[in-house]
Amino acid sequence: MKIVIIGASGHGGLCVPKTMCEDLNFVAIAPGSKGENVDGMVRTLHMKGYTPAIYSDYREMLRKEKPDVAIVDNFYGEHAPVILDAFGAGCHVLAEKPVAATMEQLEQLREAWDKAGTAFSTMFTYRYNGAFYRAWNLIQEGAVGKVRLLNAQKSYKYGTRPDFMTRRETYGGTIPWVGIHGVDWILWMSGGRFESVTAVQSAAQAPNGISPETTALAQFRMNDEMMASLTIDYLNPAAAQGHGDDRIRVVGTKGVLEVRDNRVTLINGDGVQHPENLPDEDMFADFLRHAAGKGPCRISGEEVFTVTRAALLAQSAADSGEIICFDR
Amino acid sequence: MKIVIIGASGHGGLCVPKTMCEDLNFVAIAPGSKGENVDGMVRTLHMKGYTPAIYSDYREMLRKEKPDVAIVDNFYGEHAPVILDAFGAGCHVLAEKPVAATMEQLEQLREAWDKAGTAFSTMFTYRYNGAFYRAWNLIQEGAVGKVRLLNAQKSYKYGTRPDFMTRRETYGGTIPWVGIHGVDWILWMSGGRFESVTAVQSAAQAPNGISPETTALAQFRMNDEMMASLTIDYLNPAAAQGHGDDRIRVVGTKGVLEVRDNRVTLINGDGVQHPENLPDEDMFADFLRHAAGKGPCRISGEEVFTVTRAALLAQSAADSGEIICFDR
């Protein structure tokens, strides 16, 4: 399958294998946003032995290369128009999250995807992390009984951030960029659905005081009286062990499970346990298997829409200060 | 000072020293709620060498004994009327939380306290815990910079619970009974004030499905764009190390601090640190010093009202499903 890369601003690099893999045919690359620089990704591809054609216009690239697969990884607030073009060109699409920055965009994507009939997934990378995947498996096995309450935490170091994050239009917002992972964990691990959300956010610590939002909270009321909280910040200190201090705590009727420091702690009738992580898996390989018609991948297109919608509604709740209800 | 005890349903036992202390003059004890049994507390006092008079009517006790200090510890939803009577008898009052179960009661208490002019505090026991107190001290010293975000967690084992907790009238509710500690930590550690709250709660796992609420969440918008989340549950598994899995995480502009497993972790420009806990202190001794006019105690009467009001408004938010705004 012919693969093109559009943009190089997020985690698209995860699709490039550590060592040259002949099966992966990276035919071309182009920026996906105005002013986006893809030189770093080109260098990475060259170092691995790939020699993609380089385009300045991704639409021209789609027309000329007729790729099977498009990796979409431009500015975080501008994914949707690029994905629409890729669907229009008949591509399977693996896109950086959030796949859309507005509800209108998300509806357009839905329509275009239904029409394209191609494979579609997004970079909810934690589904391929061995600690989070182990946690999800334990919950499926009944290790915590019925899930009642979930607390998700995303905390990142601020470090050096690109200029496009200083504007909502090109960034998209911290809840859909960072918080969306927590939204995904909550839906994935609970197996439930959201009924309403309230949220708060602040960009007080952003260099320009406008964007990105550096702290945020969201609180979800769910079906069957489940509930979930999500905390997000860019204030993880430089001295912290990892870039992210990512956690999910799942409280059930028969036990409590927590992922923290990339390790699972489970407490239930069998005592306090630290189950081994499952192996980390390759997101892109899983997507390519799916695109080749060899079964589902870990994040279905349906889930892409459900989670993205929830993250966008959470951001709307923070923007408006209102309680937002989810229609079924 | 003559001390009486009214009720024995909460943490009043913390006021009885481990070994007989001649300075503490426990003159009498009585139940404070209809059907309340204080035999256990009487046995404890006897074992320590105290021989309080035993009354069946606390009002008669207040009239006859003319005590200086009343410890109020009856059913959690019925503290306010007893505190009102104790103020009326001119007592200094140390009350189990919440001091009131409704906003109307809280206003009555405020009026009665202003009139009584006596010492008043409540059992926010964590202020005397050496880990939490150390955390607060570190924040005062600037260890995390400006506080931006707080996440509080209260998780208890359900264990065996008294019958009065199965009715809101006598119990008061899980947010004001358990969650109030988290509300206190948030206000205490942030030094801020609440602007609005949203909350959810569920009694789905209560034996009668009505009370107590076994899970709850609250989300607070605060001054200066600070924000705080609170998660509460009674689902801490029997196998967990302690009764409670209590945590507070304070995210600031220069560092992050967390209390977990009765231990402080601080990460800031000086790296990852585990500052020693300060010594645990005696809440009742601190209150008696205050009552004797020897300076403030750790929880001022003003703070009692501020925190209780916030917990009651959080419960109103959960009961109504609405956003509740705090007037200044």
Side-chain angles (χ1 to χ4, degrees), chain B residues 192-211:
Chain B
R193 63 174 193 279
F194 293 139
E195 293 186 344
S196 70
V197 60
T198 57
V200 281
Q201 61 191 359
S202 166
Q205 299 317 121
N208 66 0
I210 297 168
S211 175

Side-chain angles (χ1 to χ4, degrees), chain A residues 146 148-151 153-155 196 198-205 215-221 224-233 235-241 245 247 249 251-256 258 260-261 267-272 321-323, chain B residues 146 148-151 153-155 196 198-205 215-221 224-233 235-241 245 247 249 251-256 258 260-261 267-272 321-323:
Chain A
K146 217 174 145 185
R148 303 304 308 152
L149 172 71
L150 305 97
N151 307 120
Q153 175 179 310
K154 291 292 304 173
S155 175
S196 71
T198 57
V200 281
Q201 61 191 359
S202 166
Q205 299 318 121
T215 52
L217 293 173
Q219 180 176 277
F220 298 92
R221 193 164 54 73
D224 292 332
E225 297 188 24
M226 285 191 289
M227 57 191 76
S229 70
L230 169 58
T231 180
I232 309 161
D233 68 82
L235 297 172
N236 195 26
Q241 206 179 0
D245 183 357
R247 311 180 188 179
R249 176 172 173 262
V251 178
T253 52
K254 292 183 178 170
V256 173
E258 191 168 14
R260 195 173 71 213
D261 299 328
I267 310 179
N268 61 16
D270 297 328
V272 181
E322 289 173 359
I323 299 172
Chain B
K146 216 174 146 184
R148 301 305 308 152
L149 171 72
L150 305 97
N151 308 121
Q153 176 180 308
K154 292 290 305 172
S155 176
S196 70
T198 57
V200 281
Q201 61 191 359
S202 166
Q205 299 317 121
T215 53
L217 294 173
Q219 181 175 276
F220 297 93
R221 194 165 54 74
D224 292 332
E225 296 189 25
M226 286 191 288
M227 57 191 76
S229 69
L230 168 59
T231 179
I232 309 161
D233 69 80
L235 297 172
N236 196 26
Q241 206 179 359
D245 183 357
R247 311 179 189 180
R249 175 173 175 263
V251 178
T253 52
K254 293 183 177 169
V256 173
E258 191 169 17
R260 195 173 71 213
D261 298 329
I267 311 179
N268 61 18
D270 297 328
V272 181
E322 291 173 357
I323 299 172

Side-chain angles (χ1 to χ4, degrees), chain B residues 82-314:
Chain B
V82 177
I83 299 170
L84 281 175
D85 287 330
F87 282 149
C91 293
H92 303 295
V93 176
L94 176 63
E96 177 59 289
K97 35 79 195 170
V99 298
T102 66
M103 291 296 284
E104 293 70 30
Q105 287 181 343
L106 196 66
E107 280 160 29
Q108 289 175 318
L109 279 189
R110 178 74 213 205
E111 215 170 290
W113 180 53
D114 286 345
K115 209 164 146 188
T118 54
F120 182 36
S121 193
T122 192
M123 299 186 191
F124 293 155
T125 47
Y126 294 83
R127 297 237 190 165
Y128 296 91
N129 170 289
F132 283 78
Y133 193 54
R134 178 63 157 154
W136 178 79
N137 272 274
L138 286 163
I139 294 165
Q140 306 317 301
E141 293 161 12
V144 301
K146 216 174 146 184
V147 173
R148 301 305 308 152
L149 171 72
L150 305 97
N151 308 121
Q153 176 180 308
K154 292 290 305 172
S155 176
Y156 284 161
K157 295 178 183 177
Y158 193 75
T160 307
R161 296 280 168 178
D163 181 65
F164 74 82
M165 285 179 62
T166 62
R167 292 176 300 280
R168 171 69 73 93
E169 310 86 68
T170 42
Y171 173 48
T174 294
I175 293 177
W177 170 242
V178 177
I180 198 168
H181 286 299
V183 173
D184 180 45
W185 305 338
I186 292 166
L187 284 171
W188 182 40
M189 301 224 182
S190 70
R193 63 174 193 279
F194 293 139
E195 293 186 344
S196 70
V197 60
T198 57
V200 281
Q201 61 191 359
S202 166
Q205 299 317 121
N208 66 0
I210 297 168
S211 175
E213 299 85 5
T214 40
T215 53
L217 294 173
Q219 181 175 276
F220 297 93
R221 194 165 54 74
M222 304 182 71
N223 62 303
D224 292 332
E225 296 189 25
M226 286 191 288
M227 57 191 76
S229 69
L230 168 59
T231 179
I232 309 161
D233 69 80
Y234 273 119
L235 297 172
N236 196 26
Q241 206 179 359
H243 171 63
D245 183 357
D246 298 325
R247 311 179 189 180
I248 178 85
R249 175 173 175 263
V250 183
V251 178
T253 52
K254 293 183 177 169
V256 173
L257 175 152
E258 191 169 17
V259 181
R260 195 173 71 213
D261 298 329
N262 202 38
R263 183 182 190 223
V264 181
T265 301
L266 170 65
I267 311 179
N268 61 18
D270 297 328
V272 181
Q273 304 143 72
H274 295 287
E276 288 285 307
N277 291 359
L278 288 166
D280 293 340
E281 297 282 353
D282 185 321
M283 173 180 66
F284 192 46
D286 188 46
F287 178 74
L288 289 177
R289 272 191 298 270
H290 174 50
K294 298 175 185 164
C297 65
R298 277 195 198 168
I299 303 129
S300 71
E302 287 298 336
E303 288 175 298
V304 175
F305 284 101
T306 304
V307 175
T308 306
R309 182 166 178 270
L312 292 178
L313 290 180

Side-chain angles (χ1 to χ4, degrees), chain B residues 68-86:
Chain B
D68 302 290
V69 174
I71 296 165
V72 174
D73 187 29
N74 57 319
F75 293 170
Y76 317 151
E78 301 181 339
H79 293 144
V82 177
I83 299 170
L84 281 175
D85 287 330

